């Protein structure tokens, strides 16, 4: 259950949590006209640090641009807002949720007189698919729902409306007793989970679907690619037939919420031996080492959140 914090950032001002309200006739409510982000701030040994803040801000700007939403804030302003918000709420670790939406005004589909509202909230959030799952892995299914198709809803935008498709995938998986569903794209190839990118490993090579397979350009996906490359593990972006999920040696999800979650079975067929494999473990170790500040931040992915303006914390 969501635990309220003190403040929410709205169009450049911090407002009380309970005041962050919109009208039921705001454009977003009827038409799903929002773009958003999900970012984690980790409690590292040297203070709190936001993971890949600028990359998330960039994706928010990209999502807004695709939908012709004129966002008034720059990449730096959005990053500064994240820091200001976390400090105001005095959280050491949290999940940050910026939302850009079309507000109250016209009621037709054409948003001619609807203001663009930018909100940013942060709150505590544990592991997405369950704490045990990071070690043991999750049991998933291939969804009967196809992922949003090219030239329908743009997959490169992280838009609220895309998550209607995600909800169908996730609810069906839950109804059938699975932790998550993996959707196939319009052509029948592996796309992604309802809220995660997918990786499979076969013969020592890491495979992940390309952006053309209707996947969100995940920041964690990019993180995994860079970590694997540095570990000397080959990564190939390629279309993946559904049955590759069944014969993979290892598989895992990546995402800000799911972090690096091993997949131990797909459609009740065990992935490899059904235990977290060596490559997944090696990637997990690097990932958590970096985000927790235990390993050098050699890619410059951590943005420190100073405790006070007089006490900058270096990470
Ligand atoms: C549909 C979908 N795919 C992939 C991801 C992973 O993206 P990221 O690693 O940027 O969180 C997410 C989460 O944001 C998602 O919702």
């Amino acid at each position: 259950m969501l635990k309220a914090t003190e403040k929410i950032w709205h169009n450049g001002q911090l407002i009380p949590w309970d005041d962050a309200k919109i009208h039921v006739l705001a454009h977003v409510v009827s038409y799903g006209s929002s773009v958003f982000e999900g970012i984690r701030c980790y409690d590292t040994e040297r203070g709190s640090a936001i993971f890949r803040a600028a990359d998330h801000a960039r994706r928010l700007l990209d999502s807004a641009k695709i939908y012709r939403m004129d966002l008034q804030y720059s990449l730096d302003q959005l990053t500064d807002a994240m820091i200001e918000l976390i400090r105001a709420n005095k959280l050491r670790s949290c999940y940050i949720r910026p939302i850009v939406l079309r507000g109250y005004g016209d009621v037709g589909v054409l948003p001619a007189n609807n203001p663009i509202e930018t909100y940013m909230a942060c709150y505590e959030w544990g592991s997405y698919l369950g704490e045990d799952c990071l070690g043991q892995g999750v049991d998933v299914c291939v969804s009967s729902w196809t992922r949003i198709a090219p030239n329908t809803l743009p997959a490169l935008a992280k838009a609220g409306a895309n998550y209607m498709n995600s909800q169908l995938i996730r609810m069906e998986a839950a109804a059938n007793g699975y932790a998550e569903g993996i959707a196939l794209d319009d052509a029948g190839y592996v796309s992604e989970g309802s809220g995660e990118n997918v990786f499979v490993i076969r013969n020592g090579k890491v495979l992940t679907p390309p952006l053309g397979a209707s996947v969100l350009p995940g920041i964690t996906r990019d993180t995994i690619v860079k970590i694997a490359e540095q570990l000397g593990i080959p990564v190939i972006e390629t279309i993946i037939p559904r049955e590759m999920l069944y014969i993979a040696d290892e598989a895992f999800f990546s995402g800000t919420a799911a972090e690096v979650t091993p997949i131990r079975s797909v459609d009740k067929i065990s992935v490899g031996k059904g235990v977290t494999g060596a490559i997944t473990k090696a990637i997990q170790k690097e990932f958590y080492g970096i985000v927790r500040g235990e390993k050098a931040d050699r890619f410059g992915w951590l943005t420190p959140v100073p405790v006070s303006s007089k006490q900058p914390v270096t990470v």
Side-chain angles (χ1 to χ4, degrees), residues 4-5 28-29 124 136 160 178 186 222 239 247 261 268 291 311:
T5 59
V28 62
V29 179
E124 288 172 24
Q136 294 167 11
Y178 296 101
D186 196 31
D222 179 70
I239 52 168
I247 58 170
T261 300
K268 298 199 160 70
V291 299
Q311 283 174 280

Side-chain angles (χ1 to χ4, degrees), residues 45-310:
E45 288 169 358
R46 275 153 293 182
S48 300
I50 308 169
F51 187 63
R52 303 198 65 170
D55 297 300
H56 283 282
R58 172 92 200 268
R59 191 171 64 187
L60 185 67
L61 291 164
D62 289 346
S63 301
K65 190 172 184 192
I66 290 168
Y67 278 99
R68 301 172 189 265
M69 290 170 138
D70 192 10
L71 221 169
Q72 296 299 318
Y73 304 100
S74 67
L75 192 146
D76 288 343
Q77 284 172 318
L78 292 167
T79 309
D80 288 348
M82 293 179 207
I83 296 172
E84 189 189 356
L85 179 71
I86 296 166
R87 284 179 48 188
N89 287 314
K90 302 178 193 72
L91 291 175
R92 292 187 69 84
S93 67
C94 60
Y95 186 82
I96 310 160
R97 169 54 54 88
I99 305 172
V100 180
L101 59 89
R102 293 194 192 273
Y104 181 83
D106 285 344
V107 288
V109 171
L110 181 68
N113 290 299
N114 300 79
I116 302 290
E117 311 265 6
T118 307
Y119 288 89
M120 204 182 285
C122 71
Y123 38 84
E124 288 172 24
W125 211 21
S127 66
Y128 185 54
L129 297 170
E131 193 63 47
D132 293 349
C133 298
L134 297 179
Q136 294 167 11
V138 286
D139 299 309
V140 308
C141 59
V142 172
S143 184
S144 72
W145 292 101
T146 298
R147 191 74 184 127
I148 49 175
N151 217 24
T152 59
L153 288 169
L156 298 195
K158 190 170 171 69
N162 295 3
Y163 289 80
M164 291 299 275
N165 176 254
S166 289
Q167 285 176 61
L168 292 170
I169 296 163
R170 186 70 197 259
M171 290 188 298
E172 181 192 54
N176 291 325
Y178 296 101
E180 180 57 292
I182 296 176
L184 306 179
D185 69 11
D186 196 31
Y189 296 106
V190 174
S191 177
E192 61 180 349
S194 72
E196 310 85 8
N197 291 112
V198 179
F199 287 82
V200 298
I201 297 157
R202 168 108 177 161
N203 293 337
K205 293 192 186 81
V206 177
L207 315 178
T208 197
L211 296 188
S214 296
V215 304
L216 184 76
I219 311 290
T220 321
R221 174 183 182 274
D222 179 70
T223 302
I224 301 304
V225 169
K226 295 205 163 80
I227 286 176
E229 277 168 359
Q230 213 172 58
L231 290 173
I233 304 165
V235 182
I236 306 164
E237 280 188 36
T238 177
I239 52 168
I240 299 175
R242 170 180 183 158
E243 59 273 26
M244 183 61 87
L245 297 169
Y246 305 139
I247 58 170
D249 300 323
E250 304 179 31
F252 62 87
F253 282 130
S254 76
T256 299
E259 298 173 313
V260 182
T261 300
I263 298 171
R264 70 175 174 192
S265 73
V266 182
D267 293 338
K268 298 199 160 70
I269 300 175
S270 70
V271 175
K273 297 197 174 69
V275 294
T276 306
I279 293 181
T280 306
K281 273 192 189 157
I283 290 171
Q284 269 187 326
K285 198 170 157 210
E286 281 305 305
F287 175 82
Y288 288 105
I290 294 172
V291 299
R292 292 176 183 150
E294 292 153 11
K295 294 197 175 215
D297 178 22
R298 50 201 186 273
F299 297 99
W301 284 336
L302 299 179
T303 299
V305 180
V307 181
S308 82
S309 51
K310 294 197 187 99

